[in-house]
Amino acid sequence: MKTTPRICVIGAGPSGMSVLYQFAEMGNMPNVVCYEKQKTWGGIWNFTWRTGLDENNEHCHSSLYKDLWTNAPKEANLEFPDYTFEKHFGKAVPSFMPASAVKDYLEGRWKNGTKIDLSKYIQFNTVVRYVRYDVDKEHYVVVVDNCKENETREEFFSHVIVCAGIFNFPNQPELPGIDKFQGRVLHSHNFRGATEFKGQTVLIIGGSFSAEDIALQSIKFGAKHVILTCRHESHHLRWPEGVEERPFVDKFDGNKVCFLDGSEMLVDVVVFCTGYRTHFPFLESKLRLSEDTAPYPSGLYKGTLLVEHGDCKLFYIGVQNQIYSMTLFDCLASWVCKYILGKLPDEPKSMDEMLKDVRKWEADGQKVTNPIEMLKLHTTLLDDISTSSGYTKDILKAGPRFMEWLQHRTDDMATFRDHSFRSIYTNTLAPTGSPFMQAFDDSLETFKKC
Ligand code: FAD
């Protein structure tokens, strides 16, 4: 006998909100509850000055910092087909925007993009502590804590959608001698703004977007000298004066850093931009993903449905290394909602077929070695999911915009955010805003005046 689904969504960041939004767009809301440990929606996009623990003494979720501007053009990974930036702001706005404007846009879609009040389906200040599958009863047991009421409850669900984010639990390697370093040592998760580095020499460890952005932020806000170092080969980016790349660290000797090429440098600050762990401690072990972030995490059909150890009723959204972001989450959410409600145009496959498909994607994911290859993989994934769910294929037009953006970054890190892109949906070319390196006001009010 088929039972009516009761669906649990964990997290009200962009991924979880896309699930609620896509359910709403299908007509009647099913029986769905979203648990969010923060006091409001938005996930990473809720800036907090806190580090370590939040106001409920829970692990502080957000890794956002002051003066963070989007690292890719909004026309490539942020713009929703049914809620354009022009619609939201009432005019065309620059391609790169401060975090305050991203949050404003997302909230605009969640509040005004659909007729249903999505907030009614979210329980804020509520932490999911534990999820296990009860094989006999064929349901998930979800233990939640309401932090404000100090109340623990057990709830039962037919489906669980994990949208808890993957950029919150730092990956922090040990380096020889770092324990004797006398200056400030932090992970990018706890970085809240670069003004504190004014006049200092900053060592940044890591080779991805966070490392590159914090290097740029540091020099923009007055650091004396910034050294970037990572284990893998350099991306050969052109940096403004004051930023240099060096081979990886051999060891620390007091406040002196010894690099593998034999060079040395005294530094004041060490920032680990060494990424994050995909850490979902609230799931019983067989439901968890590997902690290593990956372009295509193992065991997920269509990049979302846990097939290997699951009962095909637990989903993940937003767990791939990200290049596409909001549009990928939204497309995945549309697939998941239709799958749960039995509205996918094509019938779900047998377990064997699904596993075969998963193995192929995993193998393709393992071949990815750089952002261009990841872009290609995720464009193919989006193509596949949108074919299955009926989500608009227009999102695939983002591919060339990403390629252009990657080239701008290689040409000049200081100016790549000064370029303008055309909206896929309105075809309007974005106006130029203040040059990024001279923009010292990240407020929504100033952005709206652009
Ligand atoms: P999150 O935004 O992390 O939201 C997850 C939610 O789950 C949170 O609200 C959290 O409180 C909640 N949660 C977690 N655990 C529990 C629990 N146990 N119980 C209840 N609730 C829980 N993307 C871009 O597109 N452009 C950018 O410029 C960009 N810049 C970024 C800069 C930084 C520093 C970082 C870290 C990420 C950036 N990203 C960017 C990527 C960002 O991850 C995505 O934009 C997006 O926020 C991911 O959405 P999400 O909903 O999957 O996860």
Side-chain angles (χ1 to χ4, degrees):
M1 195 183 66
K2 242 187 160 179
T3 50
T4 317
R6 180 163 196 254
I7 304 142
C8 168
V9 180
I10 304 174
S15 296
M17 291 309 298
S18 267
V19 172
L20 296 183
Y21 187 92
Q22 290 298 334
F23 272 135
E25 286 299 277
M26 287 170 73
N28 289 335
M29 266 327 241
N31 188 343
V32 55
V33 184
C34 175
Y35 297 113
E36 170 51 59
K37 69 180 203 171
Q38 299 186 62
K39 61 176 181 276
T40 185
W41 54 22
I44 283 278
W45 297 97
N46 291 321
F47 174 79
T48 174
W49 60 271
R50 291 172 195 271
T51 55
L53 298 177
D54 69 11
E55 62 267 42
N56 293 324
N57 266 343
E58 296 296 326
H59 176 76
C60 194
H61 185 80
S62 187
S63 308
L64 208 68
Y65 39 87
K66 250 200 84 36
D67 298 294
L68 179 141
W69 290 63
T70 49
N71 55 16
K74 67 188 197 312
E75 293 80 5
N77 61 0
L78 294 181
E79 188 158 52
F80 295 105
D82 57 357
Y83 192 77
T84 62
F85 281 93
E86 260 180 274
K87 182 169 175 178
H88 178 72
F89 287 105
K91 61 176 187 176
V93 292
S95 288
F96 292 84
M97 53 209 297
S100 55
V102 176
K103 175 130 191 250
D104 190 66
Y105 169 68
L106 291 171
E107 280 191 313
R109 185 180 191 235
W110 302 336
K111 283 184 185 159
N112 310 320
T114 182
K115 293 193 184 76
I116 294 177
D117 177 2
L118 301 182
S119 66
K120 280 201 318 208
Y121 297 87
I122 309 169
Q123 297 185 17
F124 292 109
N125 290 302
T126 305
V127 186
V128 173
R129 290 271 177 245
Y130 194 58
V131 179
R132 73 178 169 84
Y133 186 63
D134 187 324
V135 181
D136 297 330
K137 299 203 171 118
E138 295 187 12
H139 64 201
Y140 291 92
V141 181
V142 177
V143 179
V144 298
D145 254 340
N146 180 316
C147 302
K148 291 292 170 218
E149 311 290 328
N150 194 18
E151 179 205 46
T152 306
R153 289 193 323 272
E154 223 177 48
E155 300 272 351
F156 308 103
F157 293 93
S158 59
H159 298 77
V160 171
I161 312 174
V162 183
C163 302
I166 57 165
F167 298 126
N168 330 98
F169 287 94
N171 174 50
Q172 202 156 343
E174 193 70 40
L175 291 174
I178 186 83
D179 52 329
K180 304 267 177 359
F181 183 77
Q182 301 288 317
R184 177 140 154 72
V185 180
L186 71 160
H187 187 276
S188 54
H189 177 60
N190 297 318
F191 172 77
R192 291 291 177 265
T195 44
E196 65 165 309
F197 300 156
K198 196 167 176 187
Q200 301 194 334
T201 298
V202 184
L203 175 72
I204 298 194
I205 301 175
S208 196
F209 294 124
S210 291
E212 289 156 5
D213 196 49
I214 292 175
L216 208 53
Q217 295 276 352
S218 301
I219 213 72
K220 177 174 168 180
F221 284 90
K224 187 166 79 186
H225 190 173
V226 177
I227 303 139
L228 263 167
T229 178
C230 70
R231 277 187 207 279
H232 62 67
E233 212 201 319
S234 153
H235 287 153
H236 303 293
L237 305 171
R238 184 163 161 249
W239 289 101
E241 207 184 317
V243 182
E244 62 160 317
E245 294 187 28
R246 290 213 185 180
F248 200 58
V249 174
D250 181 27
K251 62 175 184 189
F252 287 84
D253 178 4
N255 279 25
K256 191 168 69 183
V257 193
C258 310
F259 299 93
L260 284 173
D261 64 353
S263 66
E264 297 176 344
M265 172 72 72
L266 274 175
V267 303
D268 302 300
V269 186
V270 179
V271 190
F272 279 89
C273 298
T274 37
Y276 293 89
R277 311 292 299 166
T278 302
H279 187 57
F280 300 128
F282 52 84
L283 297 174
E284 73 173 314
S285 55
K286 68 175 183 192
L287 302 176
R288 283 182 212 153
L289 296 178
S290 154
E291 291 221 339
D292 296 325
T293 56
Y296 196 92
S298 300
L300 300 182
Y301 181 61
K302 301 280 179 205
T304 177
L305 171 61
L306 184 72
V307 282
E308 195 146 29
H309 304 292
D311 63 319
C312 288
K313 289 182 180 161
L314 186 130
F315 308 79
Y316 285 94
I317 298 188
V319 289
Q320 302 65 15
N321 283 344
Q322 286 159 24
I323 194 146
Y324 286 93
S325 56
M326 309 303 166
T327 46
L328 175 60
F329 311 151
D330 211 47
C331 185
L332 284 168
S334 110
W335 189 89
V336 170
C337 295
K338 287 181 180 162
Y339 178 91
I340 293 175
L341 299 185
K343 302 222 160 126
L344 281 180
D346 51 344
E347 282 294 304
K349 298 178 173 180
S350 70
M351 180 60 92
D352 277 354
E353 283 174 305
M354 286 198 280
L355 277 172
K356 205 169 143 203
D357 193 65
V358 168
R359 295 284 108 80
K360 179 202 146 298
W361 280 100
E362 286 169 357
D364 289 349
Q366 277 158 14
K367 288 182 209 141
V368 169
T369 58
N370 60 47
I372 294 181
E373 287 169 11
M374 192 156 87
L375 172 63
K376 285 186 183 148
L377 181 85
H378 287 179
T379 305
T380 318
L381 179 65
L382 267 178
D383 194 8
D384 185 43
I385 304 162
S386 53
T387 301
S388 178
S389 74
Y391 196 93
T392 174
K393 292 237 175 244
D394 281 348
I395 45 171
L396 303 177
K397 293 183 189 157
R401 287 164 175 77
F402 277 119
M403 291 299 287
E404 214 182 312
W405 158 71
L406 287 169
Q407 187 56 50
H408 292 159
R409 284 168 52 87
T410 310
D411 293 345
D412 193 345
M413 280 298 284
T415 60
F416 82 88
R417 286 188 173 94
D418 303 339
H419 291 272
S420 293
F421 291 77
R422 227 170 250 290
S423 164
I424 291 174
Y425 310 105
T426 64
N427 203 33
T428 308
L429 181 66
T432 46
S434 313
F436 172 71
M437 291 304 272
Q438 280 123 55
F440 291 99
D441 179 352
D442 65 347
S443 69
L444 176 62
E445 294 67 37
T446 301
F447 180 74
K448 278 182 174 169
K449 287 184 206 142
C450 283

